[in-house]
Structure formats: C-alpha cells, structure tokens
Amino acid sequence: MSATTDAGAHAITEPQRTPLYDEHIALGARMVEFAGYEMPLQYTSLIEEHNATRTSAGLFDVSHMAQFRISGEGAYAFLQRLLTNDLARIADVGAAQYTLMLDDEGGILDDLIVYHTGAEYMIIANAANRVIDLAWLRNHAPDDVEIVDESDRTALLALQGPEALRILSELIGEEFEPPARFHLVAAMLDERIPALVARTGYTGEDGVELIVRADDAATLWRALLSFPEVTPVGLGARDTLRLEMGYPLYGTDMDETRNPIEAGLGWVCPADKTGYIGAEAVARARAETVEERLVHLKVEGGIPRQGSIVRANDVTDGAGTEIGRVLSGSHSPTYGFGMATAYLPTRFAEPDTEVTVDIRKKSVTGVVVKPPYTR
C-alpha cells in the first residue's frame, strides 16, 4: 500500500508492491518504479525473456492493473454511455472487448478491457489511471449502478506464448477447454486455486490472463514456474513484445490530449454508436482530416528512443524539418531492426513514407509501416 508523508508543500509517495513482490526479489529481478508500483524490469535479459515468450511461454505479473466490477440494473446503459465500443457485441456471458473511455472533448482517459461476467461487468484498467478512472466512473454513475474497486484484493498473471494453453491444460486437467479469444471462463487451477481465465494478452501471442485472489498469487506463480517451458518476464520484454505488434501504451502513445482517430483507434469507436461521452468529438474528428496521426516506424541503422527527433526527408516537404518526436522506441529482438511510434502530420502517415530519425549524433531512415512488424 502507498504511504504519503507531508513534507511542506510536497508529498512523497512510496511505490506500491504487488502480491508477487517477494517472488520477484527471490528470482533476482531488477526492480523499477512503474505506474506507482515496484515492478520487475527483467530477470535475466530482455532479449532472452522476449524470445522465450515468442517461442515457448512467458509469465508476467500484471497485478498492478486496476480492476473494477460494475453491477446493478443500470450497468449496461451506464457503460454504453461511458465507453466507446458497443457492449451489445459482448452480449454473451464471458465475452470481452477492447474499448476506450473518453472525456467530453474526445480525449482518451484510458483504454480498457471490459468483460461480461454474467450479473456484472468487469473492467481491467491501467494502473496509473486507477484513481482517476474510478472517480470518473463514480461521478457519472446513476443510483442503480454499483462500482467496486477490486484492485487490492486480486492479482493478475499473464501466461503468454505458443506453449501457454498446453501448460494451462496440464495445470487444470485434460478436461479443460480454453475459452475462445476475448472470452473468459471460471476454472480451478492446480486443484486449489479458483480463477477467472481470460484468453487475452498484450504480447501478440496466444495465451491467457489469470485473475485470482491476491493470497493465491504466489502459489500460482510458483506452480506455473515449475514447468521448465515457462520463463518469468519483466516490463522490458513486455514493452518490446507489444511494440512488435503495434499495441499502444497509455500515457506514452496516447492520453487525454489525443482523440481515438489521431491515435489510430477509431475501430473501437463504431460509427453507428452514438450517445457515449465524447461521441460528438469523435464524429467530428472522423469527418474532418486530423492534423496528426500516430504512426509506427521501422528504423534501420539504430535504436530509436523516446524523444528522438523525426524529420521530413523529402525536399518537397522541407527536408530536415522536424515533424515529430518518438514516443515509444526500442529494438525488435524478433526482427533485428528499430521500432518507434510518433505523431506525424497526416501527409506523412501513409505506409511506406520515408522519414529521418535522429539517433544520437547520426540520422537514419525510418519507414512508416502498418503493424504488426514483419521482415
């Protein structure tokens, strides 16, 4: 839990710890502060952990993510007004969808996964937005809707990779049938741990996210690591895995200053859905050409980092002119080139457009691509 100390005009807030903190320390993880939590950056090496997830199975502690439960007679109508995607698309119990929550001007407050669990809806939100999201939800909730913050009572583990489902089946039993993609089911793990098993993830690999009681997290973590095919994975590889797929990171690739059209997320704002908060702003952005769009760059000859300058390299567009800055940037362990995101003027946002990226004291070529990245 966080502790705040009054130091005159400033407050010092200690980072929180997930229920798996001691497990990370025991494994020798390098810990860093992320979204207000002490989290493992890596255990051995970023490349090793990245490749293990792509070829076998990676185990992630994502218990820092926020979890809310929404119930009551008005829950469906309430969430239809608060979220951009259409809840009618997940009418079946166990179905899930990716969605956004916007402010009145269409700015992205958060990106979320919402699950239809039967009598209620469950939302997984970004850790850094927990307090803001909860306040926004409660401030807009009618009297017939109850909102419960389950974040401190639960843990979330992600098992991702081509071996993930086989390993999970061994842990549960051969009779277990994994849910369809973007669905969840209840299951008993290792004959003693009740869990919700969601076939979702942030790596581009098949796999699951496992929601369990906080007190059961360490037991499940150890049970999964008892399989030799499973490698613990930290935030470093989680970032390169999601970047290779083109998955955005809230707070880096988008925030309340950007709308879904600029961020390339118009697909989670159905054009035929109206009435949600921010809908009119999204409709305007869709009808008009936005000035900038989030693009993904394939960079050869260097590793782009956050803040690297992106320049036009066509004389007709003013070669050398700064047109943006890198937001997310890294090296692709799978493909061997640099990857980056940046907001660029719309005329530079088409695939195959060449730009120049400043990396340290040299300039290298970047090409706009449509993710996921491939050779």
Side-chain angles (χ1 to χ4, degrees):
M1 301 298 293
S2 64
T4 302
T5 302
D6 187 4
H10 302 282
I12 300 174
T13 302
E14 296 179 2
Q16 299 184 64
R17 295 174 175 178
T18 77
L20 292 169
Y21 175 83
D22 290 339
E23 302 298 314
H24 304 317
I25 297 300
L27 290 171
R30 177 185 170 191
M31 305 297 287
V32 296
E33 184 175 348
F34 177 78
Y37 283 79
E38 289 186 79
M39 297 293 291
L41 179 66
Q42 63 187 55
Y43 300 87
T44 53
S45 78
L46 182 156
I47 292 177
E48 181 179 321
E49 294 166 23
H50 178 108
N51 291 338
T53 306
R54 289 279 185 249
T55 60
S56 184
L59 180 62
F60 305 73
D61 176 15
V62 284
S63 304
H64 62 302
M65 302 293 281
Q67 179 185 330
F68 310 128
R69 292 182 182 270
I70 317 294
S71 61
E73 281 189 23
Y76 174 84
F78 166 63
L79 289 178
Q80 279 287 66
R81 181 169 176 266
L82 268 287
L83 306 179
T84 64
N85 216 334
D86 188 357
L87 283 184
R89 297 179 176 181
I90 57 169
D92 294 338
V93 174
Q97 67 182 192
Y98 179 63
T99 189
L100 303 174
M101 187 160 64
L102 310 180
D103 62 22
D104 294 311
E105 290 74 41
I108 302 172
L109 295 175
D110 207 354
D111 64 332
L112 319 161
I113 301 286
V114 57
Y115 299 87
H116 183 194
T117 60
E120 61 187 12
Y121 292 91
M122 179 176 68
I123 289 175
I124 302 295
N126 285 291
N129 294 341
R130 175 180 170 183
V131 173
I132 295 172
D133 286 358
L134 189 60
W136 183 264
L137 289 165
R138 286 178 170 165
N139 287 342
H140 289 84
D143 293 339
D144 60 352
V145 169
E146 182 180 8
I147 302 169
V148 178
D149 183 358
E150 296 277 7
S151 307
D152 294 331
R153 292 191 285 269
T154 58
L156 181 60
L157 284 66
L159 183 66
Q160 303 280 297
E163 296 293 324
L165 294 182
R166 180 188 62 78
I167 291 166
L168 186 68
S169 294
E170 288 190 32
L171 195 66
I172 297 176
E174 293 183 358
E175 73 284 355
F176 174 71
E177 289 192 16
R181 292 299 302 270
F182 264 76
H183 284 72
L184 88 170
V185 296
M188 189 67 67
L189 306 182
D190 209 21
E191 299 183 345
R192 52 188 166 154
I193 302 173
L196 290 176
V197 178
R199 200 163 172 186
T200 49
Y202 195 48
T203 65
E205 296 295 331
D206 202 357
V208 294
E209 294 177 308
L210 307 168
I211 301 166
V212 298
R213 294 176 303 215
D215 292 343
D216 289 329
T219 301
L220 178 58
W221 178 263
R222 294 171 190 168
L224 289 167
L225 286 181
S226 71
F227 291 85
E229 305 95 329
V230 177
T231 298
V233 183
L235 292 173
R238 185 171 182 254
D239 196 49
T240 54
L241 288 160
R242 67 95 185 171
L243 254 180
E244 285 185 348
M245 297 305 298
Y247 296 156
L249 175 64
Y250 189 88
T252 299
D253 299 316
M254 57 183 172
D255 55 26
E256 70 279 0
T257 68
R258 296 292 181 175
N259 66 58
I261 307 304
E262 292 173 315
L265 295 172
W267 63 276
V268 291
C269 306
D272 59 354
K273 182 185 175 184
T274 60
Y276 60 87
I277 294 174
E280 292 182 0
V282 171
R284 286 195 301 271
R286 182 174 269 135
E288 303 167 359
T289 301
V290 293
E291 293 184 2
E292 294 184 328
R293 291 184 183 272
L294 184 69
V295 304
H296 299 263
L297 298 173
K298 176 181 175 181
V299 180
E300 300 279 7
I303 302 175
R305 298 299 185 189
Q306 189 175 59
S308 296
I309 296 174
V310 182
R311 302 182 186 275
N313 70 349
D314 189 313
V315 175
T316 60
D317 288 309
T321 302
E322 179 178 335
I323 55 174
R325 290 187 178 246
V326 168
L327 301 172
S328 294
S330 191
H331 173 263
S332 167
T334 303
Y335 302 112
F337 49 68
M339 309 175 290
T341 62
Y343 281 95
L344 300 184
T346 299
R347 69 179 183 277
F348 293 95
E350 290 300 315
D352 299 324
T353 301
E354 289 193 0
V355 296
T356 298
V357 182
D358 290 353
I359 298 178
R360 295 182 179 177
K361 294 183 179 181
K362 64 178 180 179
S363 295
V364 300
T365 299
V367 180
V368 176
V369 298
K370 184 177 180 180
Y373 288 88
T374 62
R375 261 295 174 194

